[in-house]
Amino acid sequence: MAVTGVSIFPASLSPVIRRDFTPLVGKFSKSKHSISFRRLAVSTEQTPTPTPTTTATPTPTQTTTTRRLSEKSEELGEAEVAASVDEVEQNGRVWREYFERSKELISRSDGGPPRWFTPLECGPPLKNSPLLLFLPGILSVGLGLIKNHCRIGKIFETWCLHIPVMDRTPFTDLVKQVEKTIRLENNRSPNRPIYLVGESFGGCLALAVAASNPDIDLVLILANPTTSISRSQLQPLMTLLEFIPNQLPFSPPNMLSLMTGQPLRMAIESVVKGLPLQETVGQLSQDLDAISSYLSVLADILPRETLHWKLQMLKSGSAVSNSRLHAVKAQTLILSSGRDQLLPSQEEGERLCHVLPKCEIRKFNNSGHFLLLEDGIDFVTIIKGASFYRRGKYLDYVSDYMLPTPTEFKKAAEDNKWISAFTSPVMLSTLEDGKIVRGLAGIPSEGPVLLVGYHMLLGFELVPLIANIFRERNILVRGIAHPMLFMKKGNIQEMFLDVSQYDMYRIMGAVPVSASNLFKLLSSKSHVLLYPGGVREATHRKGEEYKLMWPEQSEFVRMAARFGAKIIPFGAVGEDDISELVFDYDDQMKIPFLKDQIEKLTNAAVNLRTDATGEVANQDLHFPGILPKFPGRFYYYFGKPIETEGLKQELKDRDKAHELYLQVKSEVGRCLAYLKEKRENDPYRNLLSRLIYQATHSFTSEIPTFKL
């Protein structure tokens, strides 16, 4: 990540000139360690905004959710489609850049008060992007997001707080300075949220600011906040320091070890992952050489007097923020590490999640204290998965949605690759002339398109369906999903559910089921996936395989006709070839404890179809008990598209709309019947026969199926 410049602004306001900073702008040239500072005049008529020196112009996005891979590359930048590098090399490069940039920043700084700066690689953001204020940890350099600057800069107006080495601003004064900034920015753009991203000590700062400004729309993202400093291993050392002020609780080498991790451990983990030994040893040697150069930079960032001051700041910041937690009303996301050697971060994350009213938590069991600098941690992916990115007062699942990057899609595919590996999905589609072909050529490229089909037990068919359409046609299908996927921690904290397990569904475009969301998706010419049978089909009882349980009244036909959407009925079979349902809803309702849990979970979720009748009206949430079978195969058949263009007026007649609704349902049933019959003639329906075929041909070759 090349450094070409930053803009630096004091965080404090001039006591004489209203709404004015006296900014210092530092330009980093392309040659290392060549920096010059000059004072610039700032108009008193507007809030001074740190702006990177670049002439690029943001591009409007998301006129449609149907995208090609090339379009994603253009929108999200070439950095998003670059091949991922070796993890060890990447981690070392991030730390080298962090310390080189830190050295460059502090060596030319003129001291002075805390200030905001915007790295040049951050931006320019998309139109109407929210403001992100990064509040640093104990090092206070302000480069804690350096690994994510490029991605963050595309979707946020980004300001980072830099606290000079010799600055001694008390915690309460820092809070006031950040408060002044957010109030000015809120007055300038009252309809956009302001994100406070606090790392370590910055988490305490963010909480204190939020507690004093409950009327401002703030979103807090806190990475291992130091609110638990009184319960950490640093507490006895800090107490000792009060009596022996000249003795530091730990040395720069120890601090560096806590930051970067042990190189030898990283190397061992790399070998376990299957990386070449020679390459790993070479990288280890480079990391050890780099550490010696890091020590001098760390000593410059945290000289003895500064470290003593920072430790006192940790103590006061923790005390102030903890005393004000009851006043924090902001939406909050806690990022907690499992291997934090400084703080009990996961326990503290759980505590904060119970205390704060609008709080969620994401755990990173293998990460250390400096979470945001670690390899494999992508800040933007995290907030996308948690549904924490919005441009207005409320989250819009359509207009605020960001398309998955190739890296995100690759991870989603890898996490679920076992499904495709064991089931070898067969995809069939129907061309406009009615011809059935293998592959997905029959799915229209242009939206709006509404795919309507049968929901397998526990939604087993979802991953291969979404992945194959995305891979073969470069079309992202937006799924209409049950509200359970979007439930907040507070609603289900007694249900023993980990809401983070649904993050990948949200990243891949799932939206909560509602008429307004379907309207927005179709109006944006998206490809939309809809299961009229919903959770009732996905949690069916014994003997109900492939039984359609749709509402009696039509739900989607007139909406599709309003936008001229093509309706594609489809069937998917194979659930009975990979599992056997042994403990269904009826069985569980006979056990008092499980019955009570089902009722609690159902009541915690949003109630759907309260006015429906028949089987589909039973929306009780539960998890069927299944036993795996020796894997068979999944089969998908997409029928001929049903046109609704020009039928808007005609389908206002309820009878005609219901007639088309029954036609779609009948086509889905026909697709299921076709697949159930044809799979009997597939010589490769069994996993063993497929393995033999691949062994004699190629493990990457397409496995044949029945004749069409």
Side-chain angles (χ1 to χ4, degrees), residues 157-177:
E157 182 182 343
T158 309
W159 299 11
C160 303
L161 182 63
H162 171 71
I163 304 176
V165 173
M166 302 310 295
D167 178 74
R168 297 296 182 264
T169 304
F171 180 79
T172 52
D173 287 350
L174 277 178
V175 172
K176 292 176 182 178
Q177 292 177 8

Side-chain angles (χ1 to χ4, degrees), residues 309-325:
W309 170 258
K310 297 290 186 185
L311 292 174
Q312 296 304 314
M313 285 280 283
L314 289 179
K315 186 176 180 179
S316 62
S318 176
V320 172
S321 58
N322 275 307
S323 68
R324 300 181 182 178
L325 287 179

Side-chain angles (χ1 to χ4, degrees), residues 278-348:
Q278 181 178 359
E279 180 180 347
T280 301
V281 172
Q283 185 62 43
L284 173 60
S285 176
Q286 294 178 21
D287 288 342
L288 291 173
D289 290 340
I291 282 180
S292 60
S293 64
Y294 295 166
L295 289 174
S296 62
V297 179
L298 190 58
D300 291 338
I301 297 173
L302 289 177
R304 182 183 300 271
E305 299 80 4
T306 299
L307 181 54
H308 185 281
W309 170 258
K310 297 290 186 185
L311 292 174
Q312 296 304 314
M313 285 280 283
L314 289 179
K315 186 176 180 179
S316 62
S318 176
V320 172
S321 58
N322 275 307
S323 68
R324 300 181 182 178
L325 287 179
H326 65 280
V328 177
K329 308 302 180 185
Q331 183 183 11
T332 306
L333 177 64
I334 307 289
L335 311 180
S336 297
S337 295
R339 293 186 178 180
D340 190 337
Q341 299 181 56
L342 288 174
L343 304 168
S345 289
Q346 287 206 345
E347 294 84 353
E348 179 65 4

